[in-house]
Amino acid sequence: MKNRLKNDNAAYALLAPAIIIAVLFVYAPSLYVFFLSFMDWNLIGKNKEFVGLNCYIGLFSSGSGFGNSMIRTLEYGAVYLPLSMLIGLGVALLLQRIHEKRAGFFQVLYFIPSITSIAVISIVWSYLYNPQVGFFNSCLLKLGICADKLPEYLNDPKLALPSIGLMGIWQSSGFVMLLAYTGLQGISKHYYEAADIDGASAFFQFRKITLPMLSPTVFFIVFMLLINSFQVFAPVAILTKGRPLGSTDVVLYYIYRYAFQFFKSGPASAASCVVFAVIFLSVKLQMRFGERSVFYQ
């Protein structure tokens, strides 16, 4: 019993720093945000007025802009999530077919954007999207496109959000590739050898062997990309600031504006709680229905 208590105390002592950090910087702030969602406070004064559910009701009233920001976020996710998955998985399948040492080099090269500062990436892509001297429009000019017909990526309401989505896909596909490649390495080659003996085509092997065996990894990747799609903020704050015409006003930038530009902590906190609820429900639905198609060895 004494040895067990000593081991338990040692374990708690080792866990204590992580628990303290989580409480101070995650759980306590989250509870405080929930508390502020029922208050009218400008973040500067000392007086906090209790307003009940008014902040939540105001979010869903006409003219609040919250519904529009949620729609923009869902549109971003509808482009970001499937394309990041397809490109990352496709690159992982290609890397699996080349020599291991060469594959390691390309993994590092392709993974670099995923560990690069999003602020740096946003600034670099702002030059790529520049309508006059940007790389993309320079290529279009060389292809014979007239100068007056060149797209203005970040200034066009129809192109601004897809342009930010393209940058997000470029950054996150390396992360997807690394996870998918690791999952592919865990699939035994005996399955493919048996399929080759039976005369199965490459597509049949991918559909019947690769995808089912890779399903736990795919499930985790979708889980992470879903959360990331709701967390897009820095590219919008740096490149467009919600413009043009609110076409890139995603939900996190909406929360930022209300909290730190309009100094309305109540609506900002209420919006944060609603976003948390949406993500929580999405994850629960994914775990309830999506996990049924996951094959665990």
Side-chain angles (χ1 to χ4, degrees), residues 72 76 118-119 121-123 125-127 129-131 152-167 232-254 256-257 261:
R72 296 292 172 262
Y76 175 86
I118 186 63
I121 290 175
S122 299
I123 293 172
W125 277 74
S126 69
Y127 287 107
Y129 284 137
N130 188 287
E152 297 189 6
Y153 303 94
L154 300 177
N155 297 322
D156 189 335
K158 295 181 180 180
L159 295 178
L161 192 63
S163 299
I164 292 176
L166 177 62
M167 189 188 74
V232 57
F233 170 76
V236 173
I238 295 172
L239 295 177
T240 62
K241 294 180 173 54
R243 299 186 293 266
L245 302 177
S247 59
T248 61
D249 189 18
V250 292
V251 69
L252 280 195
Y253 192 74
Y254 174 91
Y256 165 78
R257 287 193 299 110
Q261 292 184 358

Side-chain angles (χ1 to χ4, degrees), residues 56-74:
Y56 290 93
I57 295 172
L59 289 179
F60 299 99
S61 63
S62 60
S64 70
F66 179 73
N68 179 71
S69 68
M70 285 296 295
I71 292 172
R72 296 292 172 262
T73 304
L74 293 174

Side-chain angles (χ1 to χ4, degrees), residues 5-121:
L5 289 174
K6 287 182 180 179
N7 292 334
D8 290 346
N9 291 334
Y12 289 133
L14 293 172
L15 289 172
I19 294 174
I20 292 172
I21 291 173
V23 170
L24 290 178
F25 297 103
V26 179
Y27 300 113
S30 299
L31 290 174
Y32 190 60
V33 166
F34 181 70
F35 166 75
L36 288 179
S37 67
F38 301 100
M39 300 292 172
D40 181 15
W41 182 44
N42 63 5
L43 295 176
I44 300 174
K46 295 182 179 180
N47 296 326
K48 299 183 181 70
E49 181 184 354
F50 179 78
V51 293
L53 296 175
N54 287 350
C55 294
Y56 290 93
I57 295 172
L59 289 179
F60 299 99
S61 63
S62 60
S64 70
F66 179 73
N68 179 71
S69 68
M70 285 296 295
I71 292 172
R72 296 292 172 262
T73 304
L74 293 174
E75 289 175 347
Y76 175 86
V79 175
Y80 167 81
L81 196 155
L83 291 182
S84 296
M85 172 63 73
L86 290 174
I87 294 173
L89 181 58
V91 174
L93 290 169
L94 291 174
L95 292 178
Q96 192 187 26
R97 296 180 177 273
I98 66 177
H99 192 272
E100 187 174 351
K101 291 185 178 179
R102 293 180 180 177
F105 168 76
F106 286 109
Q107 284 180 59
V108 173
L109 188 66
Y110 202 72
F111 187 66
I112 287 175
S114 297
I115 58 175
T116 304
S117 168
I118 186 63
V120 174
I121 290 175

Side-chain angles (χ1 to χ4, degrees), residues 134-176:
F135 172 77
F136 295 130
N137 279 358
S138 297
C139 293
L140 292 177
L141 281 174
K142 292 180 181 179
L143 292 174
I145 305 297
C146 297
D148 58 344
K149 295 183 179 180
L150 292 174
E152 297 189 6
Y153 303 94
L154 300 177
N155 297 322
D156 189 335
K158 295 181 180 180
L159 295 178
L161 192 63
S163 299
I164 292 176
L166 177 62
M167 189 188 74
I169 293 165
W170 175 81
Q171 186 191 25
S172 63
S173 55
F175 166 76
V176 176

